[in-house]
Amino acid sequence: MRRHVLLMTTFVFAAATVAYAQAPAPKPIPAPKTTTHSDSSTTKSASSDQDFAKKVAAGGLAEVELAKLAQQKASSEDVKSLAARLEMDHMKANDELKALALKKGWDLPTTPTPQQTAKKESLEKLSGSAFDKQYVDLMVANHRTNISAFERQASKGTDADLKEWASSTLPTLKTHLDMATKAQKSLGASSSSKYSDKSKSTPTTPAK
């Protein structure tokens, strides 16, 4: 009897051993997911969109301040008319960009940059035709820079809403440039102006 029990125990152990050997091997634990090049590119593009919005917001605030100053100090009615149009358009565009940024959770500047403030302070020291020429030259330079920046954002930006806004704003930018160029010609273009065509300006926010 004891021999029979021993044989049965040996058989059960052997069967269990065979069953274990035939069981499927455990699946390897997947390696933790790492950031891919695509993820990095997406993050970089999103950051570029926000940088554009911030620069445009600061520039838009500066344009409104300069337009108000020009309406007070300009001696030319053409310049005053240009400034009034720019103030109206930029105030509207600033509100549009604020609404878009609020929707995206972006923080925008609430004041112009130190460089933009310095340009305003420089203009405040001028009067008459000297003020008119410097202001108009600055508007021409700013809007040429703006058109390039907005065209780049409209074609290469990542955020769909910001791309659409930049694209729809371009016609007004071009209208502003046309108005400023005509005013510049009526005043006599100043080749010695500190705001030449090559001047680098911060993108601003004209309304649609």
Side-chain angles (χ1 to χ4, degrees):
M1 182 68 178
R2 292 181 59 187
R3 182 178 179 183
H4 179 71
V5 171
L6 181 61
L7 287 173
M8 287 296 294
T9 301
T10 302
F11 175 79
V12 171
F13 178 79
T17 302
V18 172
Y20 178 80
Q22 293 177 345
K27 296 181 179 180
I29 300 175
K33 184 179 179 181
T34 57
T35 301
T36 63
H37 178 69
S38 178
D39 294 334
S40 177
S41 298
T42 301
T43 300
K44 185 176 180 180
S45 296
S47 177
S48 179
D49 289 335
Q50 292 186 50
D51 287 344
F52 172 80
K54 289 177 180 179
K55 289 178 181 179
V56 167
L61 294 170
E63 289 286 347
V64 171
E65 291 186 5
L66 289 172
K68 289 180 178 179
L69 179 65
Q71 290 175 78
Q72 295 171 2
K73 300 200 67 172
S75 59
S76 167
E77 289 302 318
D78 287 343
V79 175
K80 287 185 178 182
S81 178
L82 169 65
R85 171 67 183 272
L86 293 181
E87 180 188 5
M88 178 182 68
D89 286 354
H90 283 283
M91 287 183 67
K92 182 175 182 292
N94 290 348
D95 290 340
E96 291 174 352
L97 188 58
K98 283 180 186 177
L100 181 60
L102 182 62
K103 176 182 174 182
K104 305 292 180 180
W106 298 343
D107 291 326
L108 298 182
T110 56
T111 59
T113 67
Q115 181 185 21
Q116 291 160 348
T117 299
K119 288 180 179 180
K120 179 187 175 185
E121 292 173 350
S122 177
L123 282 170
E124 286 174 335
K125 298 175 183 178
L126 303 175
S127 60
S129 61
F131 175 90
D132 293 348
K133 287 183 178 181
Q134 292 289 359
Y135 173 72
V136 171
D137 287 347
L138 178 58
M139 292 303 98
V140 170
N142 277 358
H143 284 80
R144 283 179 176 166
T145 299
N146 292 343
I147 289 172
S148 296
F150 273 69
E151 285 177 339
R152 185 165 55 252
Q153 183 66 30
S155 63
K156 297 183 179 180
T158 299
D159 185 89
D161 294 330
L162 190 60
K163 284 182 68 175
E164 181 180 356
W165 181 78
S167 179
S168 63
T169 300
L170 275 168
T172 304
L173 272 173
K174 293 175 180 179
T175 297
H176 287 179
L177 177 58
D178 184 57
M179 292 175 65
T181 301
K182 287 179 180 178
Q184 188 182 55
K185 290 179 179 179
S186 70
L187 295 171
S190 174
S191 60
S192 61
S193 171
K194 67 176 72 176
Y195 307 118
S196 64
D197 293 349
K198 296 181 180 179
S199 174
K200 292 184 178 180
S201 307
T202 301
T204 55
T205 54
K208 294 186 280 294

